[in-house]
Amino acid sequence: MERLRFATVGSVDDGKSTLIGRLLYDSKSIFEDQLEHIEAVSKRRGDDYVDLSLLTDGLRAEREQGITIDVAYRYFATPKRSFIIADCPGHIQYTRNMITGASNVDLAIVLIDARTGVIEQTRRHSLLVSLLGVPHLVICVNKMDLVDYDQTVFDRIREEFEEFASRLDLQDVTFLPISALAGDNVVTRSSSMPWFEGSTLLHHLESVYTASDDNRIDTRFPVQFVIRPQRSDFPDYRGFAGQVAGGVLRVGDDVMVLPSGLTSTITGIDSPLGPVEKAEPGDAVTLLLADDLSITRGDMICRPNNRPRVSQELEAMLCWMDDASPMQQNKIYSIKHTTNTARAKITEVLYRLNISTLHRETDVSQLQMNEIGRVTLHTTAPLMFDDYHQNRSTGCFIIVDESTGQTAGAGMLLSPRT
Amino acid sequence: MAAEFERPVLLFSGGKDSVVMLHLAVRAFAPARIPFPVMHIDTGHNFAEVIEFRDRCVADMDVQLIVGSVQASIDTGRITDVTGPRASRNPLQTVTLLDSIAEYKFDAVFGGARRDEERARAKERVYSHRDSFGQWDPKNQRPELWGIYNSRHRKGEHFRIFPISNWTELDIWSFIAEYNIDLPSIYYAHRRPVFRRDNMWMAVTPFLQPEANETVVEEMVRFRTVGDATCTAAIESVATTVEDIIAETSVARITERGATRADDRMSEAGMEDRKRTGYF
Ligand SMILES: Nc1nc2c(ncn2[C@@H]2O[C@H](COP(=O)(O)OP(=O)(O)OP(=O)(O)O)[C@@H](O)[C@H]2O)c(=O)[nH]1
Ligand SMILES: [Mg+2]
């Protein structure tokens, strides 16, 4: 069955967790024991109604504070699709957990409180979703029950958002007026908003077209490990295991190995279910080659006439996530990119992005936690990469602080500015 | 994932999730052998069918098995056995697990936990960092983006790694069907003597006997999870094949743990608390 990954984002208290709860509840995807549990907790706390956000807010601290701290993952399926949900926190302090949840989704739902409209945190999350290259966006204007289901409120917020979003790189945006609490337009159509003619959220999630989101053209296979059985029954076996990061690999294809530049031909593809003829993006397979080349973890297998860039000089948008120390120019960090680990220095901050105005602020040499900037990097070894917009898997990296082990930064590689 | 660590180990209980993980590992490295051992933390109170399956499975798949024994931890005085009619050794496993990790200096411990099992697990990263006390800090997890995993750790710290975090119970069964995987017999419906406790069917075993007011009956049951026999319940079922179980799982109205695990009913944050101190 087709699978859709999506995340809920937006400012604190805009109703993300409640929406997930409502979606699961109305699609009959809540298990009886889970419902009994949240009913009991709501009752014990003296709530007037069952608090559906308790379905995802599973940590003690979250329940005490009534907010989401870290991403929760939930799963459900309808006859049309199966879904993986990442319910992200809205609070600015937990932005890095929001990025964690939104980094690899097909679709993001941005919630906006109908009473407040577009606020700073809405803009921050929309910007992050746009930088992360999430292909589909649904803007849910929530809590319509608190503004008398008024169409003018919805239209005004829609305009506000479109005004801001015109300066972002967003491809597919849909707007919905909903009430997560009452269930309007979540799974069933709202009778209180006859003026709205679009489909419900669930219907949209079931039908949004995602088949063209994978890059099936540029063949990329980062080698994870080399398989060399020390067994007498497989004396000459040498396979290269990994996950296809782009394009389609077929037996008989000519391939090139980077960084060495040596070429060979695919003689076999082993999958967990035995030999296969081809492998597609996301498949975990082992490649067998005609020639006995020296290949190690971190090498990239591609087609001779379609190669990634190979360089030690990189340019990227970098989100800083370390609360303990800001990003420092020329400090040595560890960088992880595909199956490669190297060391890297951030050589220059070209600009820092002002999250509210989207202005590019120059004359900056540091990035604090939650700040985003365009930077150049120098690495100890060449990386084989693509522009993030071309290929999310070969265009992303993380920065690790070598002294603390903390995942300090997340970067999206870009072509150098001309 | 194993390539980045010095001493990985895969937790293997003979339960369905760990069997699936072992199959994934074996197939990923085939035709080479998996380059790490598997480990079972044995409370000594497991179902005989599961232990028998565990031993047969590691022999068939030609992997090395390490058994961390809770009984041995009790005998050497590391922990005190629990007593009383409702005692369960399940929580005692944490000490044996952490001791075994320290003894073998494991730095990566692969586990078959799934996020759909429980609300604290739903929050855990795929690479879950543990400090030198084996503790999980749910309020301060490292960010984890795309499919890039940060494996950096200090000496004495380790990672719990959950490759099948995003699988559901139904995904597990579909995989078992597709790959034609063998499981302990008690996953399939069979007749056995059981008694009612806390609204669940508990199996009569050498480790768990009914109290005076609990009557033993023979029922057609199966297990949705297999764990310590003192806290794992059976469900009424007539599903004797994988296809039957897939059909049953697709329409299940109660979660796997909710239907079968007495240990999760203790408190609102039972699992979170156990995980914080180093449980699976
Ligand atoms: N009236 C009304 N209240 C709502 C609606 N949706 C959510 N709420 C309430 O808004 C409050 C916050 O809801 P949550 O779902 O916890 O918000 P959240 O966006 O998940 O918040 P964080 O995860 O902490 O960022 C709760 O008290 C909800 O009951 C709605 O449609 N109408
Ligand atoms: Mg929330």
Side-chain angles (χ1 to χ4, degrees):
Chain A
M1 190 163 35
E2 228 191 299
R3 175 164 277 177
L4 185 88
R5 293 181 78 118
F6 69 91
T8 48
V9 304
S11 185
V12 68
D13 277 352
D14 281 357
K16 298 176 289 296
S17 302
T18 307
L19 175 63
I20 298 307
R22 172 58 66 185
L23 199 54
L24 294 171
Y25 186 82
D26 285 358
S27 64
K28 310 221 170 1
S29 312
I30 296 186
F31 293 92
E32 282 165 21
D33 52 318
Q34 291 173 333
L35 188 59
E36 272 170 31
H37 169 78
I38 64 168
E39 278 171 352
V41 175
S42 294
K43 201 165 154 196
R44 191 160 66 230
R45 295 198 313 204
D47 299 345
D48 295 342
Y49 46 84
V50 177
D51 182 355
L52 290 171
S53 70
L54 289 170
L55 264 179
T56 53
D57 290 342
L59 297 177
R60 188 200 303 278
E62 294 178 323
R63 291 173 172 208
E64 280 165 9
Q65 297 170 42
I67 62 165
T68 306
I69 291 174
D70 213 328
V71 206
Y73 295 90
R74 282 278 166 192
Y75 310 84
F76 79 109
T78 67
K80 298 208 177 87
R81 266 185 183 163
S82 69
F83 300 93
I84 300 182
I85 313 172
D87 179 32
C88 296
H91 197 287
I92 182 162
Q93 192 184 338
Y94 307 117
T95 303
R96 61 188 189 190
N97 296 337
M98 173 270 174
I99 300 177
T100 293
S103 65
N104 56 358
V105 296
D106 306 302
L107 178 147
I109 300 175
V110 183
L111 275 93
I112 301 177
D113 188 327
R115 297 168 302 175
T116 52
V118 177
I119 57 176
E120 161 110 3
Q121 194 64 350
T122 319
R123 286 193 284 267
R124 182 189 307 274
H125 278 193
S126 307
L127 172 63
L128 286 166
V129 161
S130 134
L131 289 172
L132 289 167
V134 177
H136 308 277
L137 228 63
V138 183
I139 316 299
C140 285
V141 178
N142 187 33
K143 309 197 185 181
M144 288 301 290
D145 55 307
L146 298 180
V147 295
D148 297 329
Y149 297 103
D150 183 354
Q151 182 177 5
T152 55
V153 174
F154 175 69
D155 288 342
R156 195 188 66 238
I157 292 174
R158 181 186 178 131
E159 271 167 41
E160 245 178 275
F161 188 88
E162 279 174 338
E163 212 277 303
F164 169 74
S166 62
R167 290 171 286 157
L168 297 179
D169 184 18
L170 300 172
Q171 296 139 42
D172 170 33
V173 186
T174 306
F175 292 84
L176 288 179
I178 66 164
S179 168
L181 195 67
D184 298 84
N185 289 335
V186 179
V187 171
T188 45
R189 288 194 64 89
S190 169
S191 52
S192 312
M193 292 179 276
W195 47 265
F196 180 70
E197 296 185 337
S199 60
T200 63
L201 177 63
L202 181 62
H203 183 262
H204 184 76
L205 295 173
E206 286 182 323
S207 53
V208 59
Y209 180 72
T210 56
S212 60
D213 295 345
D214 274 338
N215 181 331
R216 300 175 61 88
I217 299 179
D218 309 311
T219 299
R220 302 288 184 260
F221 187 80
V223 176
Q224 227 163 44
F225 51 89
V226 181
I227 296 178
R228 256 203 145 136
Q230 312 294 331
R231 303 170 61 153
S232 47
D233 40 345
F234 290 94
D236 299 320
Y237 187 99
R238 215 149 75 94
F240 306 100
Q243 192 175 26
V244 182
V248 180
L249 294 141
R250 288 192 175 78
V251 176
D253 280 355
D254 293 329
V255 290
M256 175 177 275
V257 183
L258 294 173
S260 69
L262 298 170
T263 55
S264 187
T265 308
I266 299 177
T267 54
I269 302 177
D270 283 345
S271 82
L273 279 172
V276 289
E277 277 305 302
K278 66 170 185 177
E280 308 196 347
D283 291 351
V285 293
T286 301
L287 302 183
L288 304 172
L289 302 182
D291 305 274
D292 192 12
L293 308 180
S294 153
I295 300 177
T296 58
R297 174 181 172 82
D299 286 359
M300 175 82 82
I301 295 176
C302 60
R303 305 293 305 266
N305 55 1
N306 179 337
R307 306 175 209 168
R309 304 217 352 256
V310 183
S311 177
Q312 285 174 255
E313 308 299 327
L314 317 173
E315 193 167 323
M317 289 303 292
L318 183 67
C319 306
W320 201 250
M321 306 185 292
D322 194 348
D323 50 359
S325 60
M327 180 231 95
Q328 291 166 43
Q329 224 163 290
N330 293 323
K331 172 173 166 172
I332 296 173
Y333 294 99
S334 175
I335 183 170
K336 291 200 77 176
H337 169 258
T338 64
T339 54
N340 242 317
T341 303
R343 302 178 89 195
K345 282 180 189 175
I346 289 130
T347 41
E348 197 182 346
V349 181
L350 299 171
Y351 60 81
R352 179 176 62 197
L353 209 54
N354 181 308
I355 285 154
S356 303
T357 61
L358 298 180
H359 281 145
R360 298 171 173 188
E361 300 167 347
T362 48
D363 279 333
V364 189
S365 62
Q366 286 195 337
L367 291 176
Q368 304 288 335
M369 159 111 151
N370 292 333
E371 290 185 340
I372 300 163
R374 184 151 181 160
V375 300
T376 56
L377 301 98
H378 176 77
T379 56
T380 49
L383 300 184
M384 284 72 70
F385 61 94
D386 294 285
D387 186 299
Y388 185 79
H389 299 105
Q390 241 70 58
N391 189 322
R392 281 209 258 176
S393 324
T394 55
C396 66
F397 65 87
I398 62 168
I399 294 285
V400 177
D401 187 306
E402 294 191 337
S403 56
T404 62
Q406 190 52 243
T407 307
M412 285 133 300
L413 291 157
L414 301 166
S415 312
R417 288 193 302 178
T418 42
Chain B
M1 289 178 162
E4 300 196 276
F5 294 94
E6 275 174 38
R7 289 173 188 249
V9 67
L10 187 149
L11 290 175
F12 183 71
S13 62
K16 64 181 185 315
D17 301 318
S18 64
V19 173
V20 165
M21 269 219 312
L22 182 58
H23 272 265
L24 289 170
V26 165
R27 283 161 202 260
F29 287 98
R33 291 190 179 85
I34 58 170
F36 44 80
V38 305
M39 179 163 75
H40 182 212
I41 302 303
D42 186 355
T43 60
H45 289 172
N46 283 294
F47 292 97
E49 296 91 332
V50 178
I51 297 297
E52 181 269 323
F53 172 85
R54 177 197 78 186
D55 293 338
R56 184 158 45 87
C57 191
V58 295
D60 286 353
M61 297 182 96
D62 194 16
V63 296
Q64 184 204 339
L65 172 70
I66 295 168
V67 177
S69 158
V70 172
Q71 185 62 53
S73 303
I74 293 167
D75 295 343
T76 54
R78 296 286 290 169
I79 36 180
T80 313
D81 201 5
V82 286
T83 50
R86 297 217 167 185
S88 169
R89 284 183 175 179
N90 198 49
L92 302 184
Q93 294 181 84
T94 302
V95 175
T96 311
L97 173 65
L98 293 176
D99 282 352
S100 305
I101 291 171
E103 179 184 344
Y104 294 95
K105 299 196 168 58
F106 291 129
D107 56 356
V109 181
F110 288 84
R114 310 189 323 263
R115 286 168 173 159
D116 76 330
E117 286 180 80
E118 202 277 336
R119 56 189 167 273
R121 283 193 169 157
K123 296 264 165 186
E124 195 166 10
R125 299 282 187 261
V126 175
Y127 272 47
S128 185
H129 180 260
R130 301 303 164 106
D131 67 12
S132 55
F133 293 91
Q135 298 182 108
W136 178 52
D137 184 0
K139 277 172 71 182
N140 200 16
Q141 300 194 86
R142 291 179 181 177
E144 188 168 270
L145 288 89
W146 302 293
I148 311 182
Y149 300 104
N150 176 0
S151 54
R152 201 164 181 105
H153 59 283
R154 296 194 186 93
K155 213 172 145 66
E157 300 177 342
H158 71 276
F159 278 90
R160 300 288 170 82
I161 301 181
F162 304 109
I164 56 170
S165 284
N166 284 331
W167 293 42
T168 61
E169 187 183 9
L170 193 57
D171 294 332
I172 292 285
W173 281 105
S174 308
F175 183 88
I176 288 164
E178 190 183 350
Y179 285 70
N180 196 15
I181 288 170
D182 206 18
L183 285 184
S185 57
I186 64 173
Y187 276 112
Y188 300 96
H190 57 289
R191 298 199 74 84
R192 85 157 51 219
V194 288
F195 60 93
R196 208 76 187 142
R197 177 176 288 180
D198 299 335
N199 267 323
M200 294 186 286
W201 288 113
M202 303 304 292
V204 180
T205 61
F207 325 110
L208 186 70
Q209 295 294 323
E211 287 170 17
N213 59 345
E214 294 168 330
T215 27
V216 175
V217 290
E218 211 178 73
E219 284 287 338
M220 191 73 171
V221 295
R222 71 176 195 88
F223 290 84
R224 272 172 85 179
T225 63
V226 307
D228 187 281
T230 59
C231 66
T232 309
I235 57 161
E236 281 172 50
S237 170
V238 292
T240 53
T241 65
V242 185
E243 291 71 32
D244 293 347
I245 291 178
I246 288 178
E248 188 183 275
T249 307
S250 319
V251 297
R253 295 305 312 142
I254 297 184
T255 62
E256 180 180 310
R257 294 190 80 86
T260 63
R261 296 302 282 252
D263 51 334
D264 282 349
R265 302 193 167 188
M266 292 182 310
S267 79
E268 199 182 324
M271 175 66 91
E272 181 182 342
D273 292 342
R274 270 176 290 145
K275 283 188 90 68
R276 276 171 181 275
T277 56
Y279 189 76
F280 301 113

